[in-house]
Amino acid sequence: MAKKVLIIGAGPGGLTAGMLLAHRGYDVQVFERKNVIGGRNAALQIGDFTFDTGPTFLMLPRLLEEMFLITGRNIRDYLELKEIDPLYRLKFSSKNIEFFPTRDRKQMLANIKAAFPGDEVNYERFLTQEGKKFAKLFKCLKTPYHSLLHFFRLRFIEAIPDFEIGRSLYQVLSRYFVHPDMRISMSFQAKYLGMSPWECPGAFTILSFIEHDGGIYHPIGGLNQISKAMAKVIEENGGQIRLASEVTEIITENKKAVGIRLVDGQVIRADYVVINADFAHAMTSMVNKKDRKKYTDEDLKRRDYSCSTFMLYLGLNKKYDLPHHNIIFADDYQKNVEEIYNYKTLPVDPSFYVQNPSIIDPTLAPPGKSSIYVLVPVANTTGGIDWENKKQGFRNLIIEKIKARTEMADIDEHIEAEKIITPDNWEKDYKIYNGATFNLSHKLTQMLYFRPHNKFEEFGNCYITGGGTHPGSGLPTIYESGRIAANLIIQDKTMGLGFKYRDVFDQDIDPSRSTFTGRS
């Protein structure tokens, strides 16, 4: 009889683990609290307009492709992927600078020379050095760290200098680039981790390398289509996706997970449980206090969490000619970052991101109309901002900023549909601890072994995937966490000292079948 695996949450990590395990013959059942697949990677429907709830950048598509190859499938049969080039528009309004990073090397050097003269030579050096760094660090991110002995692996020892211990992301970039705004252009990616470039570990220079080398992609229909495709693979292999099925408790016996309890009282027993819910929320709402020796309420409160986001989803009865991805920086970007991370106050002059996917994707809005996605980094709920009273005023401020700093000068005249999500909504409606949309922060004391382990420490037969565990937040690493969790379940009998861990899926992958390649 096939062993049963219950997965709590139909987010990207849980779905990755689910499709890999279902392919291996496990009886997989996924339980999702909401009535839509994807978690923060789900589709958001407002009338005739479709939006991605959360992530809008698909990076490292080859890693995602691997997950489908492992199950004997071609990703192109499930998703229509479009490369976005230029990658995005970066706008420094006060200096009247617009910068368009691109994977076209000749054009990229010309763009840098025009915006940040002299740094075009430094860019070549950045790609060369960061390419070597990425090759070493990513090997470290692909394996679990449930034992301190994992630090003695050769791959980790060789990569120690590349972790840039004691240096921030901005400091490392200062070694390459002279112009402060060029450094910001290569360090704003710290927002993917919910961190400040001046505090984010220097190891994460690999984020901008990943974008510039491998590109950014958009699946037609939105990134939510990835979650739907994964769910389809699970069902094709006999697994089940149960929507509107909230889990209230992980049941343990003899220090092992043996099942779950649903909100209606139903108990389902299994051989393994995989947690794909927000980590701290799962600890405080699904795991009994008697079972938590390490992750107590007090411990969870002491931990460092990412920022949050203020979201605007706007359905417009007009199309605008602006790029797919637009990042508009505050006039004083460092002050803006300090307001969010250090003082946890509402930004006076916020930076913001605008996605205009309808420019290439006709499926998201009716003809002649467009779905506009706006994200503003803000403090998480520990800042105590009264969003109930502040949200409308802040919304109006963002609309005015969009009108002043983009081509959408008349956007307020064309809004047909609208939804706002505040940090309070992330916390209460999406069950995200502290409304920290990027989960636990990625400071070095919360990475690798020091991050919650993929093989849960508190009791046996329980595994964790998602942004709150190793390797961390961001879609590529969340997919990797799902693969690691699946590997650990498959190798359950060999989980001794940790050196026995190997990626049992590597043997199924033929790299020559990949249609995604870097250009460095």
Side-chain angles (χ1 to χ4, degrees), residues 335-350:
K335 177 184 176 182
N336 172 221
V337 168
E338 288 173 350
E339 288 172 330
I340 296 168
Y341 299 99
N342 299 344
Y343 306 120
K344 297 187 177 181
T345 58
L346 268 182
V348 175
D349 178 25

mmCIF file of all heavy atoms in Angstrom, residues 335-350:
data_model
loop_
_atom_site.group_PDB
_atom_site.id
_atom_site.type_symbol
_atom_site.label_atom_id
_atom_site.label_comp_id
_atom_site.label_asym_id
_atom_site.label_seq_id
_atom_site.Cartn_x
_atom_site.Cartn_y
_atom_site.Cartn_z
ATOM 1 N N LYS A 335 16.393 56.775 2.859
ATOM 2 C CA LYS A 335 15.458 57.230 3.892
ATOM 3 C C LYS A 335 14.168 56.412 3.835
ATOM 4 O O LYS A 335 13.621 56.013 4.877
ATOM 5 C CB LYS A 335 15.149 58.713 3.697
ATOM 6 C CG LYS A 335 14.133 59.254 4.696
ATOM 7 C CD LYS A 335 13.778 60.700 4.401
ATOM 8 C CE LYS A 335 12.689 61.204 5.354
ATOM 9 N NZ LYS A 335 12.292 62.603 5.043
ATOM 10 N N ASN A 336 13.680 56.164 2.630
ATOM 11 C CA ASN A 336 12.475 55.356 2.448
ATOM 12 C C ASN A 336 12.653 53.972 3.063
ATOM 13 O O ASN A 336 11.771 53.452 3.759
ATOM 14 C CB ASN A 336 12.168 55.263 0.959
ATOM 15 C CG ASN A 336 11.059 54.291 0.619
ATOM 16 O OD1 ASN A 336 11.148 53.559 -0.351
ATOM 17 N ND2 ASN A 336 10.004 54.255 1.407
ATOM 18 N N VAL A 337 13.803 53.366 2.816
ATOM 19 C CA VAL A 337 14.097 52.038 3.359
ATOM 20 C C VAL A 337 14.165 52.082 4.887
ATOM 21 O O VAL A 337 13.645 51.194 5.577
ATOM 22 C CB VAL A 337 15.413 51.498 2.762
ATOM 23 C CG1 VAL A 337 15.888 50.275 3.526
ATOM 24 C CG2 VAL A 337 15.222 51.165 1.283
ATOM 25 N N GLU A 338 14.766 53.116 5.433
ATOM 26 C CA GLU A 338 14.870 53.245 6.891
ATOM 27 C C GLU A 338 13.491 53.403 7.528
ATOM 28 O O GLU A 338 13.233 52.869 8.614
ATOM 29 C CB GLU A 338 15.763 54.434 7.246
ATOM 30 C CG GLU A 338 17.244 54.183 6.950
ATOM 31 C CD GLU A 338 18.093 55.421 7.145
ATOM 32 O OE1 GLU A 338 17.507 56.530 7.322
ATOM 33 O OE2 GLU A 338 19.334 55.316 7.121
ATOM 34 N N GLU A 339 12.592 54.128 6.863
ATOM 35 C CA GLU A 339 11.229 54.283 7.387
ATOM 36 C C GLU A 339 10.544 52.927 7.522
ATOM 37 O O GLU A 339 9.805 52.679 8.481
ATOM 38 C CB GLU A 339 10.417 55.186 6.464
ATOM 39 C CG GLU A 339 10.814 56.654 6.511
ATOM 40 C CD GLU A 339 10.125 57.473 5.438
ATOM 41 O OE1 GLU A 339 9.814 56.914 4.360
ATOM 42 O OE2 GLU A 339 9.894 58.668 5.663
ATOM 43 N N ILE A 340 10.808 52.052 6.565
ATOM 44 C CA ILE A 340 10.153 50.743 6.556
ATOM 45 C C ILE A 340 10.776 49.795 7.574
ATOM 46 O O ILE A 340 10.079 49.169 8.380
ATOM 47 C CB ILE A 340 10.245 50.118 5.147
ATOM 48 C CG1 ILE A 340 9.487 50.970 4.134
ATOM 49 C CG2 ILE A 340 9.701 48.681 5.153
ATOM 50 C CD1 ILE A 340 9.778 50.591 2.691
ATOM 51 N N TYR A 341 12.100 49.681 7.558
ATOM 52 C CA TYR A 341 12.772 48.632 8.321
ATOM 53 C C TYR A 341 13.227 49.065 9.706
ATOM 54 O O TYR A 341 13.202 48.263 10.636
ATOM 55 C CB TYR A 341 13.972 48.112 7.527
ATOM 56 C CG TYR A 341 13.579 47.500 6.209
ATOM 57 C CD1 TYR A 341 13.684 48.223 5.023
ATOM 58 C CD2 TYR A 341 13.089 46.198 6.140
ATOM 59 C CE1 TYR A 341 13.299 47.667 3.805
ATOM 60 C CE2 TYR A 341 12.704 45.640 4.940
ATOM 61 C CZ TYR A 341 12.811 46.384 3.767
ATOM 62 O OH TYR A 341 12.432 45.834 2.573
ATOM 63 N N ASN A 342 13.648 50.317 9.852
ATOM 64 C CA ASN A 342 14.185 50.760 11.134
ATOM 65 C C ASN A 342 13.131 51.429 12.007
ATOM 66 O O ASN A 342 13.022 51.129 13.199
ATOM 67 C CB ASN A 342 15.360 51.720 10.914
ATOM 68 C CG ASN A 342 16.501 51.058 10.164
ATOM 69 O OD1 ASN A 342 16.570 49.839 10.063
ATOM 70 N ND2 ASN A 342 17.416 51.851 9.625
ATOM 71 N N TYR A 343 12.355 52.343 11.404
ATOM 72 C CA TYR A 343 11.384 53.101 12.189
ATOM 73 C C TYR A 343 9.973 52.514 12.106
ATOM 74 O O TYR A 343 9.123 52.806 12.939
ATOM 75 C CB TYR A 343 11.374 54.556 11.728
ATOM 76 C CG TYR A 343 12.748 55.192 11.742
ATOM 77 C CD1 TYR A 343 13.310 55.688 10.570
ATOM 78 C CD2 TYR A 343 13.497 55.246 12.911
ATOM 79 C CE1 TYR A 343 14.585 56.250 10.568
ATOM 80 C CE2 TYR A 343 14.768 55.805 12.925
ATOM 81 C CZ TYR A 343 15.314 56.306 11.740
ATOM 82 O OH TYR A 343 16.572 56.850 11.750
ATOM 83 N N LYS A 344 9.722 51.708 11.084
ATOM 84 C CA LYS A 344 8.434 51.042 10.887
ATOM 85 C C LYS A 344 7.274 52.039 10.879
ATOM 86 O O LYS A 344 6.228 51.837 11.491
ATOM 87 C CB LYS A 344 8.220 49.947 11.935
ATOM 88 C CG LYS A 344 9.253 48.829 11.820
ATOM 89 C CD LYS A 344 8.968 47.655 12.712
ATOM 90 C CE LYS A 344 10.007 46.555 12.491
ATOM 91 N NZ LYS A 344 9.769 45.374 13.325
ATOM 92 N N THR A 345 7.504 53.124 10.143
ATOM 93 C CA THR A 345 6.482 54.150 9.966
ATOM 94 C C THR A 345 6.032 54.161 8.511
ATOM 95 O O THR A 345 6.685 53.577 7.643
ATOM 96 C CB THR A 345 7.030 55.535 10.337
ATOM 97 O OG1 THR A 345 8.184 55.816 9.517
ATOM 98 C CG2 THR A 345 7.430 55.593 11.795
ATOM 99 N N LEU A 346 4.943 54.832 8.230
ATOM 100 C CA LEU A 346 4.470 54.951 6.854
ATOM 101 C C LEU A 346 5.439 55.829 6.061
ATOM 102 O O LEU A 346 5.783 56.929 6.501
ATOM 103 C CB LEU A 346 3.082 55.584 6.818
ATOM 104 C CG LEU A 346 1.876 54.647 6.837
ATOM 105 C CD1 LEU A 346 0.600 55.452 6.741
ATOM 106 C CD2 LEU A 346 1.943 53.637 5.723
ATOM 107 N N PRO A 347 5.886 55.382 4.900
ATOM 108 C CA PRO A 347 6.797 56.208 4.096
ATOM 109 C C PRO A 347 6.117 57.504 3.649
ATOM 110 O O PRO A 347 4.955 57.505 3.246
ATOM 111 C CB PRO A 347 7.111 55.321 2.889
ATOM 112 C CG PRO A 347 6.761 53.932 3.309
ATOM 113 C CD PRO A 347 5.634 54.074 4.284
ATOM 114 N N VAL A 348 6.854 58.592 3.731
ATOM 115 C CA VAL A 348 6.350 59.876 3.260
ATOM 116 C C VAL A 348 6.445 59.944 1.739
ATOM 117 O O VAL A 348 5.526 60.403 1.058
ATOM 118 C CB VAL A 348 7.147 61.031 3.907
ATOM 119 C CG1 VAL A 348 6.697 62.375 3.321
ATOM 120 C CG2 VAL A 348 6.977 61.024 5.415
ATOM 121 N N ASP A 349 7.586 59.476 1.217
ATOM 122 C CA ASP A 349 7.794 59.420 -0.233
ATOM 123 C C ASP A 349 8.126 57.971 -0.579
ATOM 124 O O ASP A 349 9.288 57.584 -0.641
ATOM 125 C CB ASP A 349 8.936 60.347 -0.640
ATOM 126 C CG ASP A 349 9.228 60.280 -2.134
ATOM 127 O OD1 ASP A 349 8.312 59.933 -2.905
ATOM 128 O OD2 ASP A 349 10.385 60.573 -2.519
ATOM 129 N N PRO A 350 7.114 57.134 -0.793
ATOM 130 C CA PRO A 350 7.361 55.693 -0.973
ATOM 131 C C PRO A 350 7.912 55.339 -2.353
ATOM 132 O O PRO A 350 7.593 55.989 -3.351
ATOM 133 C CB PRO A 350 5.976 55.081 -0.772
ATOM 134 C CG PRO A 350 5.028 56.172 -1.156
ATOM 135 C CD PRO A 350 5.682 57.458 -0.787
#
